[in-house]
């Protein structure tokens, strides 16, 4: 079993979404990708990543941002990123769960609001559940044969994100069930 990670607040276990939880919500079979699942802390422009497979590395903040999509995240202090790989009726799927801790609730809200605007523009279907939660759907694959179902939830100085790439879009209750796992 993987060792426990320590956060400023938030998840205290090595898995945000267990493979059995993913299977019960999405169907199919799932496994955690331990080579790409990690906790991180940011201090003095350095990011320390503790991978689930046991290795630790320290990288520059710029290198870290390039792996996170290139956009700087204002005042992030720590977080956890988990990838699960799955098979749903013979089709490949992936779940990415992310828990991000910001230094303040205003920084978390700014990130949440910027993500909301970006996904509202780029998604094929956008559903604002509340002022602190939204869901976006984006078709993917070469011929639109898969969907990326995304939920973002803001809670104080934390943002939770779940992205599920699967043959069919997930419903609101399915996404909320995954997000409520952590």
């Amino acid at each position: 079993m993987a060792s426990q990670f320590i956060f400023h607040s938030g998840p205290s276990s090595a898995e945000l979404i267990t493979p059995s939880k993913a299977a019960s919500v999405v169907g199919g079979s799932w496994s955690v990708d331990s080579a790409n699942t990690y906790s991180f802390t940011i201090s003095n422009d350095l990011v320390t990543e503790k991978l689930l497979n046991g290795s630790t590395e320290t990288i520059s903040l710029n290198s870290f941002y390039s792996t996170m999509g290139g956009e700087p995240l204002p005042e992030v202090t720590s977080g956890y990123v988990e990838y699960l790989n799955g098979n749903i009726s013979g089709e490949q799927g992936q779940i990415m769960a992310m828990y991000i801790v910001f230094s303040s609730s205003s920084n978390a809200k700014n990130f949440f609001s910027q993500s909301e605007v970006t996904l509202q523009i780029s998604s094929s279907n956008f559903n604002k559940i509340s002022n602190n939660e939204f869901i976006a759907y984006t078709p993917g694959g070469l011929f639109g044969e898969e969907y990326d179902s995304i939920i973002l939830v803001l809670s104080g100085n934390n943002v939770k994100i779940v992205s599920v790439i699967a043959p069919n879009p997930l419903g609101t209750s399915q996404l909320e069930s995954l997000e409520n796992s952590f």
Side-chain angles (χ1 to χ4, degrees), residues 100 102 104-113 116 130-134 151-161 179:
I100 307 170
F102 293 83
S104 71
S105 59
S106 61
N107 287 324
K109 179 145 183 64
N110 288 340
F111 171 79
F112 179 85
S113 298
E116 182 178 11
S130 71
N131 286 336
N132 297 332
E133 178 181 350
F134 67 83
I151 184 169
L152 268 80
V153 177
L154 170 67
S155 177
N157 67 328
N158 309 311
V159 175
K160 296 195 285 185
I161 304 168
E179 176 269 324

Side-chain angles (χ1 to χ4, degrees), residues 17-160:
I17 300 171
T18 64
S20 60
K21 177 68 173 188
S24 72
V25 173
V26 181
S29 60
W30 295 88
S31 62
V32 175
D33 181 350
S34 63
N36 292 307
T37 295
Y38 59 93
S39 67
F40 66 90
T41 55
I42 300 175
S43 178
N44 300 325
D45 292 333
L46 292 175
V47 180
T48 302
E49 297 178 339
K50 295 180 182 176
L51 277 69
L52 191 58
N53 68 8
S55 64
T56 300
E57 64 182 18
T58 300
I59 61 174
S60 73
L61 201 54
N62 288 338
S63 295
F64 180 71
Y65 287 146
S66 68
T67 64
M68 298 288 286
E71 295 296 320
L73 302 176
E75 301 299 321
V76 171
T77 60
S78 63
Y80 191 87
V81 179
E82 177 184 60
Y83 286 94
L84 293 97
N85 296 317
N87 186 313
I88 308 162
S89 304
E91 300 284 329
Q92 288 185 334
Q94 185 178 64
I95 297 173
M96 185 275 300
M98 185 182 296
Y99 184 91
I100 307 170
V101 179
F102 293 83
S103 62
S104 71
S105 59
S106 61
N107 287 324
K109 179 145 183 64
N110 288 340
F111 171 79
F112 179 85
S113 298
Q114 290 170 358
S115 299
E116 182 178 11
V117 169
T118 300
L119 285 169
Q120 207 165 8
I121 293 168
S122 64
S123 66
S124 62
N125 186 359
F126 184 88
N127 184 9
K128 186 168 183 165
I129 307 297
S130 71
N131 286 336
N132 297 332
E133 178 181 350
F134 67 83
I135 295 173
Y137 299 95
T138 306
L142 189 56
F143 301 103
E145 68 272 12
E146 61 188 21
Y147 292 86
D148 190 359
S149 305
I150 304 164
I151 184 169
L152 268 80
V153 177
L154 170 67
S155 177
N157 67 328
N158 309 311
V159 175
K160 296 195 285 185

